[in-house]
Amino acid sequence: MNTLHASWFYWAVGVALGFPAMVILLTELHHALVRRNSRMARQVSLLRNYLLPLGSLLLLVVNAAQVPAGDPLVRILSTVFGFLVLVLLLSGLNATVFESAPEDSWRKRLPTIFLDAARFALIGIGLTLILSYIWGVRVGGLFTALGVTSVVIGLMLQNSVGQIVSGLFMLFEQPFRINDWIDTSTARGRIVEVNWRAVHIETGSGTRITPNSVLASQPFTNLSRPAGTYKVSMKTTFSLGDPPERVCAMLTRAASALPQLKPGSEPRSVPIGNGEYSTSIRLNSPADDGAARSTFLRWIWYSSRREELHLDNADDDYSSRERVEHALRTVVAPVLRLGLADQQSLHSSARIVRYGADEIVEYAGQVPAGMTFLIAGRVRLTAVDSDGAVAEISTLEAGSFLGLTALTRQPNLASAHALEEVTALELDREHVENLVMREPLLLQDFGQVLEERQSKVRQAGRGERVG
């Protein structure tokens, strides 16, 4: 009867019954979280495997065995238990607040320096409670000693502390976030990390480590703010004899076809004097700057030569008489069934042009001015399906031709772009019509090819698979 009325008896029975019940409950919870791929499964495992057994042991030692709280064994077990609770809180806070944060939320954009500060604060509070309640340390005196020590350490490490303070003030203002693009006097790139001492900027040639104190003391440009407003301006030089309107139209047309161009925006090219032109292009992101520049400069090299403009005052003599004669003999003559006399009659109206990789050869909705015969390279025909996606129609190899709708005065139903550098021979509509009218069989063949291509475009428009 005395045993039943003893307080230690109820503690022992409670631990003996409650411990296995809690183990079963936490095991089931852990399995459920694992099946859901939850980030909290690790914390539940820590609670089941370490905190629950150690807490049960402490209850038995202190309440059932009635060992005094000041006993070294109890203090050691309590200290370990406190550390485990601290670890559980840190990992749980990280898993619930930051690791599960959506990509566009403030929690995901929060710099790591603030996460480190929160962890240090939580660790400091936990250690203070452990020292005060378990070991009986006078925390007030400890804080006084730490305050004096921190002053001495601050004087010794004033440069490093200055960088930390500068970084804190700058980050409180939040002039940039992770993944923003900035332009400083020493680096230009994307921010990948912000810590206590420095900002890590990923450039094209590596990661630039810039101290916080340097960024806080000098101006810099955040290229990502406001979002969607980044634009690049490129200068080009043409001959003074080139008509400015034609040059601006060519530059604008090339810029409008760039894949990096921000949807809904329109490039603008203007002459700035002395044969120079400036083209402004709005991009989706500063990350597209390099690709947009290189593609634009590559495309206008080809485009300026096709339109007989003189980029960098250079002349183009690629369409020589020998190349034209060879192309007419080997590519055009088999297609149009030309004799030697017909080939010679076309010398004055034919010319050889070149296109850069990914450059548009023909636009959908455009009425071609003539036919284009491929001498080298490949061209892909594409159309837009019912869902707005680009569908491939076919790929044309060397020896094939484009611009059949020039004969019917109809706009193209498909676009054509070069898969690599393409060399082609162009013939005016008038000369091709004269040749076709004398060859009824050739006209019939062209009609079949045109109908086949248009049929494939209609299939793609309905979302059907084009064979």
Side-chain angles (χ1 to χ4, degrees):
M1 294 297 295
N2 292 333
T3 300
L4 293 176
H5 291 286
S7 60
W8 63 265
F9 176 75
Y10 295 103
W11 281 107
V13 173
V15 171
L17 297 178
F19 176 73
M22 289 300 297
V23 168
I24 295 173
L25 180 62
L26 291 176
T27 300
E28 293 298 325
L29 178 60
H30 179 261
H31 289 165
L33 293 175
V34 169
R35 287 193 298 268
R36 294 168 52 189
N37 294 322
S38 174
R39 300 180 185 272
M40 292 300 297
R42 181 181 176 185
Q43 285 69 39
V44 173
S45 177
L46 175 65
L47 179 62
R48 180 195 61 187
N49 297 335
Y50 298 100
L51 272 173
L52 181 62
L54 187 57
S56 301
L57 179 60
L58 270 174
L59 289 177
L60 289 175
V61 170
V62 175
N63 296 304
Q66 296 184 347
V67 177
D71 188 84
L73 176 63
V74 176
R75 288 185 171 180
I76 293 174
L77 291 176
S78 300
T79 302
V80 175
F81 184 81
F83 275 114
L84 289 176
V85 171
L86 194 57
V87 170
L88 180 65
L89 289 176
L90 288 172
S91 61
L93 178 66
N94 189 57
T96 56
V97 179
F98 299 107
E99 288 185 1
S100 60
E103 288 295 331
D104 56 346
S105 67
W106 65 269
R107 293 177 293 169
K108 203 67 173 181
R109 297 192 301 264
L110 194 67
T112 56
I113 186 172
F114 292 121
L115 305 184
D116 294 339
R119 293 189 184 101
F120 283 139
L122 191 58
I123 291 173
I125 294 173
L127 292 178
T128 300
L129 294 176
I130 290 173
L131 292 175
S132 176
Y133 288 97
I134 297 177
W135 296 97
V137 177
R138 296 181 59 186
V139 182
L142 181 61
F143 283 158
T144 302
L146 288 176
V148 175
T149 305
S150 63
V151 172
V152 176
I153 295 176
L155 292 175
M156 294 173 59
L157 303 176
Q158 54 182 332
N159 290 333
S160 300
V161 173
Q163 293 178 5
I164 294 174
V165 174
S166 299
L168 284 174
F169 279 116
M170 182 175 61
L171 293 175
F172 275 127
E173 185 184 352
Q174 284 194 331
F176 51 75
R177 298 171 180 153
I178 301 297
N179 292 326
D180 276 1
W181 284 71
I182 66 171
D183 187 8
T184 71
S185 59
T186 58
R188 183 179 186 277
R190 182 174 63 92
I191 297 176
V192 294
E193 182 181 350
V194 180
N195 56 35
W196 291 96
R197 192 188 70 84
V199 175
H200 294 215
I201 305 173
E202 186 181 84
T203 64
S205 57
T207 302
R208 179 83 176 186
I209 312 299
T210 304
N212 292 329
S213 56
V214 174
L215 277 182
S217 61
Q218 68 177 13
F220 60 87
T221 303
N222 189 334
L223 303 175
S224 299
R225 294 190 184 180
T229 60
Y230 181 77
K231 68 178 180 180
V232 59
S233 180
M234 285 180 282
K235 292 183 179 180
T236 49
T237 303
F238 288 81
S239 170
L240 292 175
D242 291 335
E245 291 296 333
R246 285 183 57 199
V247 174
C248 290
M250 184 273 295
L251 293 173
T252 302
R253 187 163 52 251
S256 299
L258 289 173
Q260 298 85 9
L261 181 68
K262 181 178 175 59
S265 65
E266 295 183 1
R268 185 168 180 262
S269 299
V270 293
I272 56 178
N274 199 27
E276 291 188 347
Y277 297 81
S278 177
T279 304
S280 298
I281 307 170
R282 198 172 297 279
L283 305 179
N284 289 315
S285 165
D288 298 329
D289 187 298
R293 287 179 182 273
S294 62
T295 303
F296 178 74
L297 294 177
R298 179 165 52 85
W299 284 0
I300 65 172
W301 188 93
Y302 292 97
S303 183
S304 62
R305 282 158 172 77
R306 291 196 304 271
E307 301 194 22
E308 299 179 351
L309 300 174
H310 303 84
L311 177 65
D312 296 327
N313 294 301
D315 292 321
D316 181 46
D317 57 356
Y318 188 79
S319 184
S320 62
R321 182 177 180 85
E322 292 77 12
R323 288 192 174 97
V324 171
E325 289 179 351
H326 183 266
L328 286 172
R329 184 175 63 255
T330 58
V331 178
V332 180
V335 175
L336 298 183
R337 303 171 185 175
L338 301 179
L340 182 58
D342 289 331
Q343 296 178 35
Q344 293 175 348
S345 67
L346 293 176
H347 285 170
S348 60
S349 61
R351 68 168 185 150
I352 293 180
V353 295
R354 288 175 290 179
Y355 293 85
D358 298 322
E359 195 175 1
I360 296 178
V361 180
E362 287 187 356
Y363 292 85
Q366 169 193 9
V367 179
M371 288 189 65
T372 302
F373 298 85
L374 303 184
I375 300 171
R378 297 176 301 154
V379 171
R380 176 166 293 168
L381 302 181
T382 58
V384 179
D385 62 18
S386 57
D387 297 328
V390 177
E392 178 183 349
I393 304 301
S394 62
T395 300
L396 304 182
E397 306 280 348
S400 302
F401 50 85
L402 294 166
L404 276 178
T405 54
L407 303 177
T408 60
R409 305 296 203 278
Q410 293 176 321
N412 291 324
L413 296 180
S415 298
H417 68 273
L419 296 178
E420 56 206 15
E421 185 181 67
V422 169
T423 304
L425 183 138
E426 291 183 347
L427 282 177
D428 294 337
R429 176 196 300 126
E430 179 182 354
H431 294 83
V432 176
E433 284 180 344
N434 292 333
L435 293 171
V436 170
M437 291 303 176
R438 300 201 307 262
E439 293 285 345
L441 292 179
L442 180 60
L443 184 60
Q444 183 178 356
D445 292 341
F446 280 173
Q448 292 177 353
V449 173
L450 182 60
E451 177 58 30
E452 181 183 352
R453 291 181 182 177
Q454 291 179 343
S455 176
K456 290 182 178 180
V457 172
R458 287 191 291 268
Q459 290 179 32
R462 294 192 296 266
E464 301 176 9
R465 184 176 179 178
V466 178

